[in-house]
Amino acid sequence: MSSVECKVVIGLEIHVQLLTKTKMFCGCALEFAGEPNSRVCPVCLGLPGSLPVMNRKAFELSVMAGLALNCKIANFTKWDRKSYYYPDLPKNYQISQYDLPFSEHGFIEIPVNSGDAKRIRITRAHLEEDAGKNVHTAGNFSQVDLNRAGTPLLEIVTEPDMNSGSEVRALAIELQRIVQYLGVSEASMQKGQMRFEPNVNLHIIKDGKEYKTPITEVKNLNSFRALEESVNYEHSRQLEEFLATGKTMEMGNKSTRGWDADRGVTVLQREKEEAHDYRYFPDPDLLPVKLTDEWIEDMRSKLCELPLQKQFRYVKEFKLSEYDAGVLTAERAVAELFEGAVEQGGEPKRVCNIISQAGLKLANEAGRSMAELNIDAEGVAAIAKMVEANEINAGAAGAILAEMTKTDKSAKAIAEELNLIQKSDASELEGLVDAVIAENPQAVDDVKSGGKKSKAARGFLMGKVMQKAKGQANPKIVSQILAKKFG
Amino acid sequence: MAQKIDIDQVRKVANLSRLDLSSEQLTEFAGQLSSILEYVEKMNELDTDGVEPLAHCLEVSNCFREDIAKESLGTDKTLSNAPEQDGQFFIVPKILDESNAS
C-alpha cells in the first residue's frame, strides 16, 4: 500500500453586480425582473453609431471595493473589447478590462477556526459589463432577453490560496459582507447578483513524489452551498480520477464543469483545448480613466470598518462570543444598531441578546431586514437598561421591541402600557409573600422540613407569588423575601 | 513570397466570428488580409523605443455620465428590427451548448 497525501488548491473568480440605478454605459434602468427586453436602448443593443459613456457611480463603487480589498489602485486604466459571438451578447464583444485593470495585488482576510484570520491574495479586480439572458424553451429555438445586458459587474480574481470547501465558502461570505457594508452591491444570491467560479485542483504526494491534477473550473455557481459542495465534490472526484488514471496537469487540459445541484455532482462541459481566443484590443469608443491621488483618497474616506475587523473587535472589546459577534456583524445596519445602543449605555451582552434574539426574530417574521424595522439605538439601549435595573424581565424585552416597530413611544411608556414593569417594592411584595404563606401551609411545612421536597416547595411558593403579582413581581426580590422568611 | 496570413488562419478567424466562407472566399480573403498586414507593417520601421503604448488616440480622459436613468426603448421598439421575435423575446436558433458562454 503506497502512501498518498492530498491537498486541494482553489482559486476563485467572483462576479458582483454593482449597486447602481443604471447600466454601465447607458442610462437604462436596472431593475430585477420586469418585462423582457423593456430596459434596452441603442447602446446596450449594440446598434451602429451608438456610443457608450461610463457610469461614474459604477466606477467609484468599484474603486471602493478595490480599496477595501487592499488592492493597489492604478492611476491609469482603460477599457478593452473581449470578442466572442453568442446570442446574449449583441455587440459580439464584451466591454471589459484586460491588461490595465483598475486594481491589482490585494488581499482579503477570512475567518478560519477559532477566531483566526487567513489572508487570501487578490490577483486583480476589474470592471466589465454583463451579457443578456438566454431562455431555453421546449421548442426548437431559444429566447433572448437583453434587460441584463450592460449591467455593471465587478470581477474579482483570487490567487489559489484556499485549501478547502469551507474556506471558499468563508471567502464568499466575507466578500458578500464587505460589498454590502460598503454599499457597493446588494449582493443578493437570489437575484443572481453574486456568482462564483472556483478553479480546483489537487497537489498529491504519492510515494514521496509530487503530482498536480488537471485544473477544473466550475461555472456559474450562485449559492454558498453550491460553491462549497462543488469544491468538495471536485476534491474527491479528482483524487479518484488520479488514483485510477494517474492523469496530471501536464497531461490533461483544463476543463470546464457545471454543477448539478439535484444530483450533487459536477458535469464535464468542455475540455479547453486552448485558451479562448478573445482577441482583446482597446475599445476606441471609450476614453481611459486617470485617477488622481486625491480622488483615490476621497473614495478611501468613504470606507468603513470592515465586518471581520468589527467581529474580532466585538469579541475583544465587548467579550462577546465568536458566534454572537458574527451574528451582529452579518449586516452593517445591525452592527450599527448594536454599537449605537452600547454607546448610549446599554450593557453589551444584554444589547446583543435583545438584538440577536428578539430583534432578528422580528425581522425574520416581518420578512425584512433589521434596518427596515422602526427600531433605533436609543430604544434598544433603554430596554437593555430596564432589564439591567430589574424593572422588566428579559422576556419582556422582546414584547417591548415588537411594540416599538409599530409606534414611536419610548421603551418605558410601552412597558407601562403593556404592564411589564416588575414590582420591586419590597414591602408590597412582602404582603403578597405573606398571603401566599398563609394560603399554603403544606408547602411551607415542606420547605421548613428541608430535604428533597424543600427545593420544589420553595419553587411552588415562588410561582404562587408570581401568579398573585400577575407575572410582574421581580423574581430576585421575591426570592430574597422568601429566603428571609425561612432563614 | 509566402503570404502573411494563410488559409487556415482565415478559416480560424472566420470560425470565431461565426462566418461560413467558401473555399474561394478563404483564398480571396487570405490574399486581401495579407496585403493589408504588409501595408500596416510599414509602421514597424518607426523607432518606438521608450514610447509609452497609446491607449487612445484622443488626449482626453475621464468622460463619465451620472447614474441617472433615462427612458429605454421599451419591448416593442427593441424587438422591431429583429429577424425573429415573439413579442417578448428575440428568437434565435436553439442554444445547445451553454458552456460556450464566457
Side-chain angles (χ1 to χ4, degrees):
Chain A
M1 187 76 196
S2 57
S3 74
V4 176
E5 272 176 57
C6 173
K7 184 170 81 166
V8 62
V9 177
I10 311 131
L12 203 52
E13 269 178 41
I14 309 121
H15 284 95
V16 177
Q17 180 179 329
L18 297 171
L19 186 50
T20 56
K21 292 192 187 76
T22 65
K23 293 187 180 180
M24 184 138 127
F25 297 112
C26 65
C28 287
L30 285 177
E31 279 165 55
F32 183 61
E35 196 193 339
N37 291 302
S38 57
R39 288 184 300 275
V40 178
C41 76
V43 173
C44 44
L45 263 179
L47 295 186
S50 62
L51 280 176
V53 185
M54 179 70 208
N55 183 335
R56 179 191 296 274
K57 180 88 187 281
F59 189 78
E60 294 194 337
L61 291 178
S62 315
V63 173
M64 279 173 67
L67 288 167
L69 296 174
N70 307 290
C71 285
K72 186 174 172 350
I73 306 296
N75 289 111
F76 182 92
T77 185
K78 69 172 173 73
W79 311 100
D80 300 284
R81 292 184 178 181
K82 177 180 180 178
S83 311
Y84 67 98
Y85 283 63
Y86 210 63
D88 59 14
L89 193 69
K91 298 192 293 295
N92 295 326
Y93 60 84
Q94 177 190 31
I95 303 176
S96 181
Q97 300 200 286
Y98 182 52
D99 55 338
L100 296 173
F102 76 84
S103 71
E104 287 181 286
H105 309 307
F107 63 86
I108 178 173
E109 291 193 318
I110 61 168
V112 286
N113 16 324
S114 67
D116 288 331
K118 177 172 174 177
R119 187 173 281 201
I120 309 295
R121 290 170 297 159
I122 305 284
T123 315
R124 61 186 274 161
H126 71 253
L127 259 166
E128 61 183 37
E129 57 174 346
D130 206 349
K133 213 175 198 164
N134 299 317
V135 184
H136 305 288
T137 65
N140 195 29
F141 58 90
S142 295
Q143 297 170 312
V144 181
D145 175 9
L146 295 179
N147 278 351
R148 200 180 66 183
T151 299
L153 296 179
L154 179 66
E155 176 173 329
I156 299 160
V157 184
T158 79
E159 293 289 315
D161 288 348
M162 285 158 279
N163 300 107
S164 68
S166 61
E167 281 186 11
V168 177
R169 183 196 177 96
L171 183 133
I173 292 174
E174 203 50 42
L175 186 65
Q176 185 193 41
R177 281 208 292 188
I178 290 174
V179 293
Q180 287 176 340
Y181 262 58
L182 297 177
V184 161
S185 173
E186 201 185 317
S188 152
M189 299 291 166
Q190 288 75 20
K191 296 183 189 169
Q193 291 168 339
M194 218 178 165
R195 312 198 285 266
F196 306 98
E197 287 169 2
N199 276 263
V200 187
N201 82 333
L202 306 179
H203 293 187
I204 294 168
I205 296 178
K206 192 178 166 211
D207 304 327
K209 216 178 148 207
E210 194 187 42
Y211 303 89
K212 292 177 182 172
T213 59
I215 296 174
T216 59
E217 179 176 350
V218 187
K219 299 296 277 186
N220 256 327
L221 301 165
N222 54 13
S223 77
F224 295 135
R225 192 171 155 197
L227 177 62
E228 183 173 8
E229 286 180 358
S230 66
V231 166
N232 290 340
Y233 179 82
E234 272 305 297
H235 185 173
S236 46
R237 188 194 65 78
Q238 290 188 18
L239 182 60
E240 265 175 48
E241 185 181 82
F242 173 78
L243 293 175
T245 67
K247 205 167 160 190
T248 62
M249 209 164 151
E250 292 73 25
M251 293 146 71
N253 290 310
K254 181 173 167 176
S255 61
T256 304
R257 301 181 76 88
W259 175 242
D260 182 334
D262 294 331
R263 290 192 293 145
V265 299
T266 62
V267 183
L268 181 67
Q269 290 184 331
R270 101 190 122 162
E271 299 260 353
K272 283 192 173 171
E273 296 302 333
E274 52 190 316
H276 243 299
D277 197 344
Y278 289 127
R279 292 153 295 150
Y280 282 99
F281 69 94
D283 191 328
D285 286 348
L286 283 160
L287 294 162
V289 180
K290 287 181 183 165
L291 282 108
T292 59
D293 291 342
E294 291 76 38
W295 193 12
I296 296 174
E297 285 318 306
D298 179 48
M299 283 180 276
R300 197 190 299 280
S301 71
K302 291 178 185 158
L303 300 182
C304 59
E305 184 184 27
L306 295 182
L308 190 63
Q309 290 159 6
K310 254 191 207 308
Q311 186 178 326
F312 288 164
R313 180 165 66 82
Y314 286 6
V315 172
K316 226 176 128 197
E317 192 176 323
F318 302 126
K319 309 278 178 272
L320 297 180
S321 69
E322 280 291 329
Y323 177 81
D324 282 342
V327 170
L328 291 175
T329 54
E331 267 179 68
R332 183 171 172 179
V334 176
E336 283 174 352
L337 183 64
F338 168 76
E339 288 178 30
V342 170
E343 254 166 50
Q344 301 206 27
E347 197 277 320
K349 179 62 189 166
R350 188 71 69 188
V351 170
C352 167
N353 287 346
I354 293 170
I355 293 175
S356 66
Q357 290 161 19
L360 291 174
K361 186 164 160 250
L362 283 171
N364 261 340
E365 283 166 2
R368 294 167 180 217
S369 71
M370 273 297 273
E372 290 169 304
L373 300 178
N374 181 34
I375 294 174
D376 59 16
E378 201 186 333
V380 174
I383 298 174
K385 284 186 211 166
M386 285 165 73
V387 179
E388 283 295 304
N390 280 317
E391 288 168 26
I392 55 171
N393 63 38
I400 298 173
L401 204 66
E403 194 59 24
M404 261 182 189
T405 63
K406 298 179 220 152
T407 90
D408 285 328
K409 289 178 189 153
S410 74
K412 196 135 210 160
I414 294 171
E416 279 163 4
E417 226 164 80
L418 298 180
N419 272 325
L420 294 170
I421 302 284
Q422 294 186 132
K423 292 198 170 74
S424 298
D425 178 2
S427 59
E428 189 186 341
L429 290 175
E430 193 161 357
L432 293 178
V433 172
D434 286 342
V436 166
I437 287 174
E439 287 162 20
N440 298 280
Q442 181 60 48
V444 171
D445 283 348
D446 288 344
V447 173
K448 284 183 177 156
S449 68
K452 255 194 217 160
K453 280 187 181 167
S454 168
K455 208 174 165 196
R458 199 182 273 256
F460 172 80
L461 291 174
M462 179 93 185
K464 283 285 171 195
V465 176
M466 293 306 271
Q467 217 173 40
K468 261 203 192 320
K470 299 193 176 67
Q472 288 164 31
N474 182 336
K476 214 165 151 188
I477 295 182
V478 174
S479 132
Q480 280 166 4
I481 296 170
L482 279 171
K484 197 176 78 190
K485 298 276 173 198
F486 299 118
Chain B
M1 194 180 92
Q3 291 199 116
K4 288 271 170 224
I5 286 197
D6 62 28
I7 286 177
D8 282 343
Q9 283 170 302
V10 178
R11 189 179 286 122
K12 188 188 164 192
V13 173
N15 183 42
L16 285 171
S17 303
R18 305 289 183 265
L19 294 173
D20 187 16
L21 302 183
S22 67
S23 57
E24 291 78 37
Q25 284 172 318
L26 286 174
T27 315
E28 186 188 351
F29 292 140
Q32 287 184 4
L33 289 170
S34 293
S35 55
I36 291 170
L37 278 192
E38 272 162 41
Y39 175 66
V40 172
E41 196 148 80
K42 184 141 189 72
M43 289 206 284
N44 285 342
E45 292 170 18
L46 287 173
D47 177 11
T48 55
D49 280 357
V51 179
E52 281 277 309
L54 189 68
H56 201 279
C57 62
L58 298 180
E59 273 294 306
V60 189
S61 59
N62 299 24
C63 179
F64 291 104
R65 60 176 188 84
E66 295 310 312
D67 185 27
I68 296 165
K70 288 189 180 157
E71 206 169 328
S72 301
L73 287 176
T75 305
D76 288 348
K77 273 191 191 163
T78 295
L79 297 174
S80 59
N81 285 329
E84 233 187 299
Q85 47 121 329
D86 63 4
Q88 278 194 301
F89 296 95
F90 293 90
I91 300 297
V92 298
K94 193 163 185 67
I95 299 163
L96 295 170
D97 181 12
E98 186 66 16
S99 67
N100 266 330
S102 179

